[in-house]
Amino acid sequence: MRHRHLGTATLALGLVVLTDVLRVFLPSVITIFGQAASTPAELLGAFALGWFVLALAAPPLVRLVGSRVVGVVAVALLGAARLALTAGPGGWAQLWLASAGLLAGLVWLAATAARGERAVPGLALGLAAAALGHVLVGTYDLVWRGSWAAWVAGGATVAALLAGEVLLARRRGESTPVPHVRAWLLTGPALVLGGMVALSPAVVSTATSFWFGEAGTASTPLFAFAPLGVAVALLLLAALAPPRPRARLVWPALLLAGALLFGYGPPSLLAVAVLLSAAGLGGCLALADGAAGPTARAASRRGYAVVGGMLVFAVVSVLYYAAYDLGYPNGWLPALVAVLTGLIALEGRLRPRPAAPATEESVAPAAVSTARESRAFARLPAVPIAALATLTAFAAAVLHEPWPMATNRPGPPEQVRVVAYNIRMGFGMDGRFDLTALERAVRGADVVVLSEVDRGWLLNGGHDTLHLLSDRLGLPYVFAPAADALWGDAVLSRWLVGRARTRVLPAVGAPTGAQALGVTVDFSEGVRLAVVSTHLQPPPGADPVVQARAVADFATEYADGLPLVVAGDFNTEPGDPAFAALTDAGLVDAFAAARPLPTSPADDPREQIDHVFVSPDLVASEAVAMPGTASDHLPVAVTLTLPGGAS
């Protein structure tokens, strides 16, 4: 059969491009349409879901115009949107481009499904290729960089995708088995489970950091991305190898176990969740693979199936992340998707189908019987492909092995420059992920305290912002989860840090979790500094005074007589009860001499909510809020003279 794998390769390339667009669309909805959480969560969710609902018009369009024409036009629009995003428009232009690209991608998927292409190999290879591409760039997508390399790589991918689609549209007279509807229905669930846990490089790098302790690690771990190679290999081997009937219940069980571990397990077992989910997802895809007899409405059913599956992707994504605005439990959602995936994969496998009456149509060359399903499709060499993917992931791990950290400077310093910054997951006021601007904002600091650190949320494009920033600055870090294992607060330091401790703060009705992270900076010669990083989350319409008292109690207990710094986004202003709770505990406002010092919003700062408090034995000077729009907050900096350092 000519071009027997052309459809598979084109589907895989298309999923890579569509994933690139999704990594822009999802955070753009939050940062641009959401306007720093000022847009109601319900309206924000409706906007995001609306594009997926609109795609339900694609199957009738395909039936009216034809899958070949619609497929070529849709993939051209998808590729054009992807390349236009590389130009870095930012703002509403970025949001509309990403939305248009998403809609074009959904229409293309519907056309591809209606044409009768085989879903599972292309879906598995597309998921694997998107993950490997993400790890090769260290989770800092080319679409955000805008360099010549980004244009070349993006242009080559889009050109190959368009060429494949044109060749498929010109293909005539080839008899191809018709895939089951259930295989296309799994597209959305596979994308959400793969992006959320099973094939996320950022989740893998975060998981390895938890091997070094409860509060993350005191340095970027070596070969942080290496376990992704194992995850990709497990998915491909399970998805592309012939399914074993006796093992059909094993794959849904593994997928469910991984999803439950992701939702409810400790951070130290996050890597196990990744591997279980990857193997289980691959096996479920294999179970869904197979051929079905053509019917008059099969093309439309497949089109609705793939769009419906992507609607599942949208609903689950919105519900999972809206929990951090609305305050309901969300750990069950990945498990629910795993159950749904398992049921779809097993449909028709656990119960025998009634034998169809023998007719001329049922034995026509285009029909494929159930007994011949395992031979209906040309199989891909699973082992060589999995081995190549594994080598690629391990090569990327070597490529992104961290530089030596700038620790153990000789002798204790007289002064320490401290910067506190709410980085909003790395996204600026224009909605772009600008790592260079983040680095510029904190470079030169001796101790950096970060809030709203994202280490792999699918909603934000799956970046490990902390890993990226730590490698760029050459500073080791300690990370503490707050909302979940992938979102929280961190401390970076030019000197070795240790004695990391965390304390969960009372929720008091606030939807997003909050914590306090304590670390000790060791300047050598017995000189040490206690640093506490926190991000208070006030309940709706109230002051976070209860959390402020908890932070003050934890900080003074943790410092135990050492010079102390407490910094972060406190969501309270001077004169408020929470602010007074910190100063009443004996802490000093390090910015008192520079007030007023507004820090939010970054493009028109009016609120003083980012602070640094110190113990009385530290002398604060040169306090400033540095201008910039790399986040919706301004970074604040202060120079601290250590006890005895002025003499």
Side-chain angles (χ1 to χ4, degrees):
M1 184 183 296
R2 285 185 63 198
H3 308 308
R4 64 177 182 170
H5 296 313
L6 178 60
T8 295
T10 303
L11 176 57
L13 278 175
L15 286 172
V16 170
V17 176
L18 179 57
T19 301
D20 282 348
V21 172
L22 278 169
R23 289 192 184 122
V24 179
F25 172 78
L26 292 173
S28 296
V29 171
I30 299 299
T31 58
I32 300 171
F33 188 85
Q35 292 294 309
S38 62
T39 301
E42 298 83 354
L43 181 59
L44 186 147
F47 177 85
L49 290 174
W51 297 98
F52 292 84
V53 172
L54 191 59
L56 291 171
L61 176 66
V62 170
R63 188 168 59 247
L64 179 65
V65 179
S67 62
R68 301 173 190 271
V69 174
V70 172
V72 171
V73 172
V75 89
L77 293 175
L78 170 63
R82 165 63 182 82
L83 292 178
L85 289 170
T86 310
W92 286 95
Q94 173 180 296
L95 176 60
W96 294 123
L97 277 172
S99 302
L102 168 64
L103 183 58
L106 296 174
V107 172
W108 165 74
L109 279 174
T112 302
R115 192 170 57 217
E117 297 294 345
R118 185 185 179 194
V120 169
L123 180 56
L125 290 174
L127 289 170
L132 291 174
H134 209 207
V135 77
L136 283 171
V137 296
T139 76
Y140 187 18
D141 304 282
L142 294 176
V143 71
W144 298 118
R145 301 190 185 204
S147 63
W148 66 267
W151 282 102
V152 170
T157 304
V158 168
L161 171 61
L162 185 56
E165 193 67 25
V166 170
L167 287 174
L168 288 172
R170 296 176 59 186
R171 186 172 60 183
R172 293 288 189 274
E174 295 186 8
S175 177
T176 58
V178 181
H180 276 300
V181 168
R182 66 172 179 261
W184 284 106
L185 189 57
L186 283 183
T187 302
L191 280 173
V192 74
L193 288 173
M196 192 173 285
V197 53
L199 294 174
S200 170
V203 172
V204 166
S205 67
T206 304
T208 58
S209 74
F210 285 113
W211 296 348
F212 294 81
E214 181 182 355
T217 176
S219 64
T220 304
L222 297 175
F223 305 109
F225 295 114
L228 182 73
V230 180
V232 170
L234 289 173
L235 177 122
L236 291 176
L237 287 172
L240 301 181
R244 298 179 182 274
R246 293 183 180 179
R248 58 179 171 241
L249 294 179
V250 172
W251 305 117
L254 289 177
L255 182 59
L256 179 58
L260 287 171
L261 203 55
F262 175 74
Y264 297 102
S268 58
L269 294 181
L270 189 57
V272 179
V274 168
L275 299 180
L276 291 176
S277 300
L281 181 57
C284 287
L285 289 176
L287 289 173
D289 202 9
T295 65
R297 295 183 297 173
S300 289
R301 285 209 300 265
R302 290 193 302 273
Y304 281 117
V306 71
V307 175
M310 290 303 295
L311 190 56
V312 170
F313 170 94
V315 170
V316 171
S317 299
V318 168
L319 288 178
Y320 186 84
Y321 294 107
Y324 297 115
D325 287 323
L326 303 179
Y328 53 82
N330 61 1
W332 54 272
L333 271 164
L336 179 64
V337 181
V339 170
L340 177 63
T341 301
L343 291 175
I344 294 172
L346 290 171
E347 191 275 328
R349 299 278 182 175
L350 297 180
R351 57 183 177 83
R353 293 180 179 274
T359 63
E360 290 187 10
E361 289 78 5
S362 66
V363 295
V368 181
S369 67
T370 302
R372 294 170 54 203
E373 279 190 9
S374 62
R375 304 190 304 273
F377 296 118
R379 294 217 170 264
L380 294 167
V383 173
I385 290 176
L388 179 61
T390 303
L391 289 174
T392 302
F394 275 84
V398 175
L399 178 66
H400 294 290
E401 184 177 345
W403 294 94
M405 298 298 177
T407 60
N408 280 334
R409 290 192 164 188
E414 292 185 356
Q415 294 182 321
V416 176
R417 187 69 170 170
V418 176
V419 171
Y421 199 8
N422 180 327
I423 61 173
R424 194 173 70 155
M425 292 77 71
F427 289 89
M429 294 297 290
D430 60 354
R432 291 187 55 76
F433 184 77
D434 192 344
L435 197 60
T436 301
L438 283 179
E439 177 191 4
R440 189 184 307 119
V442 300
R443 180 165 289 283
D446 298 309
V447 175
V448 181
V449 176
L450 300 179
S451 304
E452 291 194 12
V453 177
D454 172 31
R455 304 203 62 192
W457 271 7
L458 174 64
L459 180 72
N460 297 319
H463 312 287
D464 187 349
T465 312
L466 183 57
H467 182 101
L468 288 165
L469 195 56
S470 171
D471 281 357
R472 282 197 164 212
L473 295 170
L475 301 181
Y477 65 79
V478 175
F479 172 74
D484 63 8
L486 304 176
W487 192 92
D489 310 303
V491 175
L492 298 89
S493 168
R494 293 194 182 280
W495 289 270
L496 287 175
V497 294
R499 214 168 58 96
R501 300 288 185 273
T502 63
R503 179 170 296 178
V504 177
L505 302 182
V508 291
T512 305
Q515 65 79 50
L517 163 67
V519 301
T520 299
V521 181
D522 188 352
F523 297 120
S524 75
E525 299 183 18
V527 180
R528 295 184 297 165
L529 176 69
V531 178
V532 172
S533 170
T534 193
H535 179 196
L536 304 189
Q537 298 288 335
D543 188 75
V545 62
V546 174
Q547 290 183 346
R549 289 173 183 152
V551 168
D553 291 342
F554 168 75
T556 52
E557 175 189 335
Y558 173 81
D560 192 24
L562 290 177
L564 171 64
V565 176
V566 183
D569 175 3
F570 289 82
N571 277 307
T572 189
E573 297 201 67
D576 290 343
F579 193 96
L582 291 157
T583 55
D584 290 346
L587 296 173
V588 176
D589 175 17
F591 299 154
R595 299 288 183 192
L597 198 69
T599 61
S600 178
D603 56 349
D604 183 21
R606 298 180 302 274
E607 300 177 312
Q608 302 181 70
I609 58 176
D610 300 274
H611 309 293
V612 175
F613 296 93
V614 297
S615 55
D617 54 351
L618 292 172
V619 179
S621 60
E622 301 177 12
V624 65
M626 296 173 286
T629 56
S631 169
D632 60 340
H633 288 241
L634 296 181
V636 293
V638 65
T639 298
L640 302 178
T641 301
L642 299 175
S647 60

